Amino acid sequence: MAPGQTSDPENAPSQLYRDDANVSAPSHDSSSSDTILIHGSEASDEEHLESQNGYTTSKYVHPRLQGIWRDIVVWVKGPQPPRPWKIRPFYPHIQTAPLRFLNNYFPKRKHKVALLVFFYLSWLLSFGLVLHRSAFAADVPGYGSPVRFRCTDRFWRNGNGCGPNGDLCRPFENSSIPFRCPANCKRVEVVDPHAVGDQEVNYRPLVIGGPTDEKGSLESAYYRGDSFVCASAIHAGFINDASGGCGVISLLGEKADFASSDRKHISSIGFDSYFPKSFTFLKGTASKCRDLRWPLLAVSLTFTILLSLFTASPAVFFPSVFVGIFFHVALASDPPNLTDYYAIISIALGRFLPASFCMFAIYKYCVKPQQQGLHAQIEKTVLWLGGCWVGALNNYTFDKIPIQRLTPHDIKQQPGAIPALIIVVLSLFFIALGQAWALRVEGRLPRYLAIYGIFGITLLALVAVPKMNVRIHHYILGLLLAPGTAMQNRPSLLFQGILVGLFINGIARWGFDSILQTPDELRGDAQLGTLLPTVLAPIIHTNLGTLLKPNITFEWQLPFPKHYDGLSILVNDVERFRGYADAGEESFTWVRHLDDHPEYFRFAYMAGNIRGDYTKAGVWGKEGGWKHMKPGPS
């Protein structure tokens, strides 16, 4: 596609384009009547001083380097005069047909305004009716209103979060809970290592257990209490990932021998010992509640496509599309992780106003210059609107890229992250080169180099802030890169739509998170990097030939390191001991709970009620032997 050219008036000389690099200085003829000589005493001395200063500055620079620099400056300025880009539509008669239809049947402005108001009301009514049916489910028969679960909700907390013997996470059994799960929970994974006995689970759904018979029946399925509830329901075949669902969970109490199986594209984790809390799903209680995010997407897509095809005004198109897609993401496709839907609506409204101010700036300086006078209705719909939806549905599109967080630890640990990062960086590099060339043709490259130079210096200054980490969120990426798309060519249509969609998804889902975050905020549930206890080889009493059960006794080095005053011990990922130095507790004895089952022990220092990292698991085998902990945290 070539940049557009402005038409010249009739009989006017044709406009010539040139690059400054190809223009030589005009020759001066001393005999010309237009030449006027000024006596040195009458001329200002500013030119002389400027020449002297230039000589003083340039005498230290090699003439060849000066020439190269001048050539670079001339090239960056671009062709003279600049050539603004203009999209010439493919099949213009077809692409402008919606506009002609509108002008033929609604010729007056007041007709168009009335039609637009009717369009908005129809959109709001259609979206609202489907959303109400999707968000507010009827009661589960016999059990009442369901509790709204998020994709990451569990009955058990990490580490010692449930307290000694799990008392903070009771009840363990004899309880039934009506629940509701959203759609798209199958994709949710743990992004920090999670210990399951002597295993470390990462970058996969946290589902421990499943059906125990060959048929994979629901009646035989049970799951460990720290499993993701909704992913477990999908694995059991109780609900559908595409639409979510409702039903009843039954708490079973202590169970052992959690089976591993591959079902519904989820590979569950096996555990060969016992756990005090488990759950299953009651057959016959699945209710007809559905997460209607796909019908809602159909509604939003239909109205945004119609709006894009039948309007050529950026002032109508952009605000309407922004509002519609923002609330679609915030309320339907990727809402915040909250169980109260009224709170979700409140948060969406709170984030909408500041997001609108940001989008006004993007409209004025990026969208309006790009779409003013654009009549390629189908191309605008496919490229800009399609790109916007791709960015806004980030949880279904770019989230498939195996990069959760741009930290060296995560990139090194997550499978496929390094090749994906290389591909992303190279793609962005070549896209940036293409956009820079397009800006040069319009004569705007020097200005944009200055703008992005300021952005780069600001980011480097933020990187230099001590004890803080720079994190480029979705919305920041959209705001930073959108100015480079403020021209009317097809690549810019696509890129600008994607960037606006990423901004919408970032704000509607996560809000205005800070560009600077502390290491603790980025760490999440990952290891803390604290000291690990040194535990001596245990003393094991098999008690063969007696009525006593086998037991194992642990001792540790005293005194505790500085800043620590106690020790926490997990048995099968449940805290069974919390002892402090001032209480005189110097050992811990554990009696085997179930015969013919191994038991897993992990140890962590305590500072008051705050625990450090746990060691990897030591294994007391079912045959009575001890396998010591491997180095490192878990």
Side-chain angles (χ1 to χ4, degrees):
M1 176 185 61
Q5 300 179 4
T6 57
S7 61
D8 297 327
E10 188 176 0
N11 298 326
S14 60
Q15 191 174 27
L16 298 178
Y17 291 103
R18 62 180 175 82
D19 280 339
D20 284 351
N22 299 324
V23 178
S24 60
S27 62
H28 296 280
D29 185 357
S30 61
S31 64
S32 171
S33 61
D34 294 334
T35 303
I36 301 175
L37 299 178
I38 301 176
H39 192 273
S41 61
E42 298 175 9
S44 170
D45 61 347
E46 291 181 3
E47 182 179 351
H48 175 68
L49 291 176
E50 183 178 352
S51 175
Q52 273 193 333
N53 292 338
Y55 173 75
T56 303
T57 304
S58 62
K59 70 178 182 178
Y60 300 106
V61 182
H62 193 279
R64 180 173 294 179
L65 294 179
Q66 295 181 41
I68 294 173
W69 174 251
R70 283 194 296 268
D71 291 341
I72 292 174
V73 170
V74 169
W75 185 89
V76 167
K77 287 181 179 179
Q80 299 297 326
R83 293 174 284 177
W85 292 93
K86 180 71 176 177
I87 291 180
R88 296 176 179 175
F90 299 118
Y91 306 104
H93 187 75
I94 296 176
Q95 295 208 50
T96 57
L99 300 179
R100 294 198 307 273
F101 173 86
L102 199 65
N103 290 328
N104 290 336
Y105 289 93
F106 301 92
K108 296 184 179 180
R109 180 181 177 85
K110 62 181 180 180
H111 295 160
K112 292 184 175 69
V113 171
L115 179 63
L116 185 62
V117 171
F118 175 77
F119 180 85
Y120 287 152
L121 291 176
S122 302
W123 188 355
L124 180 63
L125 182 62
S126 303
F127 188 83
L129 290 175
V130 180
L131 180 66
H132 183 271
R133 184 177 178 185
S134 174
F136 302 98
D139 293 349
V140 177
Y143 293 91
S145 179
V147 177
R148 178 181 290 272
F149 280 9
R150 299 165 293 186
C151 292
T152 56
D153 279 345
R154 301 180 289 156
F155 289 116
W156 201 271
R157 302 173 197 147
N158 287 341
N160 64 344
C162 286
N165 301 313
D167 288 340
L168 299 180
C169 293
R170 291 182 179 273
F172 292 165
E173 57 183 333
N174 297 327
S175 180
S176 297
I177 304 170
F179 75 99
R180 177 176 188 173
C181 283
N184 201 32
C185 283
K186 181 175 64 179
R187 67 178 180 86
V188 177
E189 302 174 339
V190 286
V191 295
D192 294 308
H194 181 87
V196 179
D198 60 350
Q199 307 173 68
E200 284 194 1
V201 180
N202 207 0
Y203 301 115
R204 61 186 294 186
L206 187 57
V207 177
I208 308 168
T212 55
D213 61 5
E214 294 182 358
K215 296 181 179 180
S217 62
L218 181 63
E219 294 86 350
S220 69
Y222 56 88
Y223 299 87
R224 218 171 83 155
D226 55 344
S227 301
F228 290 156
V229 173
C230 293
S232 299
I234 295 170
H235 181 266
F238 188 72
I239 64 172
N240 190 300
D241 179 61
S243 59
C246 298
V248 177
I249 295 174
S250 176
L251 300 182
L252 302 178
E254 183 180 288
K255 285 285 187 178
D257 298 318
F258 295 86
S260 172
S261 60
D262 294 329
R263 292 171 53 86
K264 309 298 181 181
H265 304 288
I266 295 177
S267 179
S268 68
I269 303 150
F271 182 59
D272 58 356
S273 193
Y274 59 89
F275 198 80
K277 188 170 188 174
S278 61
F279 61 90
T280 189
F281 305 96
L282 294 183
K283 186 177 181 180
T285 61
S287 180
K288 292 183 179 180
C289 71
R290 297 176 59 204
D291 185 336
L292 299 177
R293 63 180 61 191
W294 297 113
L296 282 168
L297 178 61
V299 171
S300 297
L301 274 175
T302 299
F303 280 94
T304 53
I305 290 173
L306 288 174
L307 185 74
S308 178
L309 290 175
F310 284 89
T311 181
S313 169
V316 174
F317 168 74
F318 181 73
S320 305
V321 168
F322 165 68
V323 173
I325 296 181
F326 182 91
F327 282 104
H328 177 88
V329 173
L331 302 179
S333 68
D334 199 12
N337 275 334
L338 295 173
T339 56
D340 184 359
Y341 204 83
Y342 293 104
I344 293 176
I345 296 174
S346 175
I347 288 177
L349 292 172
R351 293 171 176 173
F352 174 71
L353 185 60
S356 299
F357 281 102
C358 295
M359 285 295 98
F360 173 76
I362 294 296
Y363 166 75
K364 183 175 181 180
Y365 296 105
C366 302
V367 178
K368 186 177 180 180
Q370 182 192 78
Q371 298 189 10
Q372 193 73 40
L374 176 64
H375 295 94
Q377 302 302 101
I378 296 177
E379 292 180 69
K380 178 183 71 174
T381 302
V382 173
L383 295 175
W384 199 100
L385 183 61
C388 188
W389 275 111
V390 168
L393 298 175
N394 175 65
N395 52 320
Y396 291 96
T397 55
F398 296 117
D399 263 7
K400 302 296 183 181
I401 300 174
I403 301 176
Q404 294 289 340
R405 294 174 298 198
L406 284 174
T407 61
H409 176 269
D410 282 17
I411 292 173
K412 187 182 298 183
Q413 189 177 31
Q414 187 169 4
I418 294 177
L421 181 62
I422 293 173
I423 293 173
V424 169
V425 170
L426 289 177
S427 300
L428 291 177
F429 175 75
F430 287 113
I431 289 172
L433 286 182
Q435 293 301 105
W437 178 80
L439 287 169
R440 175 188 174 271
V441 171
E442 287 200 345
R444 294 193 289 163
L445 185 56
R447 186 191 317 166
Y448 278 82
L449 287 178
I451 292 173
Y452 281 101
I454 295 172
F455 288 166
I457 292 171
T458 303
L459 288 176
L460 290 176
L462 293 175
V463 170
V465 175
K467 299 182 179 180
M468 299 289 284
N469 294 315
V470 173
R471 188 172 185 187
I472 307 297
H473 300 279
H474 294 67
Y475 78 93
I476 296 175
L477 192 67
L479 291 177
L480 288 180
L481 300 183
T485 63
M487 69 198 88
Q488 195 182 113
N489 59 17
R490 292 178 177 88
S492 295
L493 275 178
L494 176 63
F495 300 148
Q496 188 179 101
I498 292 175
L499 292 172
V500 170
L502 285 176
F503 173 87
I504 291 173
N505 179 270
I507 299 303
R509 175 63 179 85
W510 305 104
F512 287 90
D513 277 355
S514 173
I515 191 173
L516 283 179
Q517 293 185 312
T518 64
D520 288 340
E521 289 177 307
L522 291 178
R523 183 184 298 116
D525 293 327
Q527 287 93 359
L528 304 170
T530 59
L531 290 175
L532 298 175
T534 300
V535 179
L536 305 177
I539 301 170
I540 300 175
H541 297 279
T542 58
N543 294 327
L544 294 176
T546 69
L547 297 178
L548 299 176
K549 285 193 170 185
N551 63 71
I552 185 169
T553 300
F554 297 94
E555 296 179 347
W556 43 87
Q557 289 183 348
L558 292 174
F560 291 121
K562 187 178 181 181
H563 306 303
Y564 297 106
D565 60 351
L567 193 76
S568 171
I569 301 178
L570 304 184
V571 182
N572 285 0
D573 307 318
V574 179
E575 189 175 44
R576 298 296 186 177
F577 174 82
R578 187 182 295 185
Y580 294 91
D582 57 7
E585 296 170 307
E586 301 179 357
S587 65
F588 166 67
T589 298
W590 176 257
V591 178
R592 184 169 308 267
H593 182 63
L594 288 181
D595 295 332
D596 299 324
H597 287 84
E599 292 178 305
Y600 301 91
F601 297 81
R602 295 189 288 139
F603 307 82
Y605 283 126
M606 298 286 296
N609 289 324
I610 301 175
R611 57 95 175 171
D613 287 331
Y614 282 98
T615 64
K616 294 189 183 298
V619 185
W620 186 19
K622 58 184 178 181
E623 74 287 348
W626 170 254
K627 181 181 178 181
H628 205 68
M629 296 84 67
K630 295 180 180 179
S634 63

